[in-house]
Amino acid sequence: QVQLVESGGGLVQAGGSLRLSCAASGRTFDTYAMGWLRQAPGKEREFVAGVSWSGASTYHADSVKGRFTISKDKDKNIVYLQMRSLKPEDTAVYYCAADRSRVRTTLVDYLGQGTQVTVSS
């Protein structure tokens, strides 16, 4: 069993930055791929970024590439999503995700409760 708790969401102006954190519990953390999904109002949930269980490989959606960076601190069991140059279209609920294989789509084994990110224009 893996439990995921997100934090760091909030309201920011366009062009600003936020860092999301996901604290994972469970001894399987080291063997799970992690990532972030998001869902904007009226839209389907979408993949944002993923990191392999080792932390050696990362993946980012084209819409956030160059602006968002995912990282994993294995010692602290935390996954981060550093978001820069935020745009109003980044407004969404952001979910931390974990999967025994990889986080590259919205099909994942575990999902957190989500944290709201709102970017004002």
Side-chain angles (χ1 to χ4, degrees):
Q1 186 74 15
V2 175
Q3 293 183 329
L4 309 169
V5 179
E6 304 97 334
S7 62
L11 174 64
V12 64
Q13 289 188 332
S17 300
L18 278 176
R19 188 178 76 163
L20 304 183
S21 301
C22 172
S25 62
R27 293 184 298 171
T28 55
F29 177 76
D30 283 350
T31 61
Y32 271 69
M34 303 290 293
W36 293 90
L37 311 180
R38 70 184 181 185
Q39 187 166 18
K43 295 188 177 181
E44 294 186 351
R45 192 171 294 163
E46 63 176 358
F47 164 77
V48 176
V51 59
S52 62
W53 66 269
S54 67
S57 298
T58 60
Y59 316 93
H60 298 82
D62 288 343
S63 59
V64 306
K65 204 168 290 184
R67 300 187 299 121
F68 292 10
T69 303
I70 189 170
S71 61
K72 182 179 184 180
D73 187 328
K74 295 178 68 175
D75 292 334
K76 296 181 179 179
N77 283 6
I78 295 178
V79 174
Y80 300 101
L81 184 67
Q82 178 67 53
M83 304 185 294
R84 297 182 177 88
S85 301
L86 282 160
K87 306 175 181 179
E89 52 263 44
D90 293 317
T91 295
V93 176
Y94 284 71
Y95 298 91
C96 182
D99 193 271
R100 283 163 288 189
S101 177
R102 59 181 185 174
V103 178
R104 294 295 301 274
T105 69
T106 58
L107 300 176
V108 296
D109 293 329
Y110 298 98
L111 208 58
Q113 293 297 310
T115 185
Q116 177 70 46
V117 171
T118 303
V119 184
S120 63
S121 57

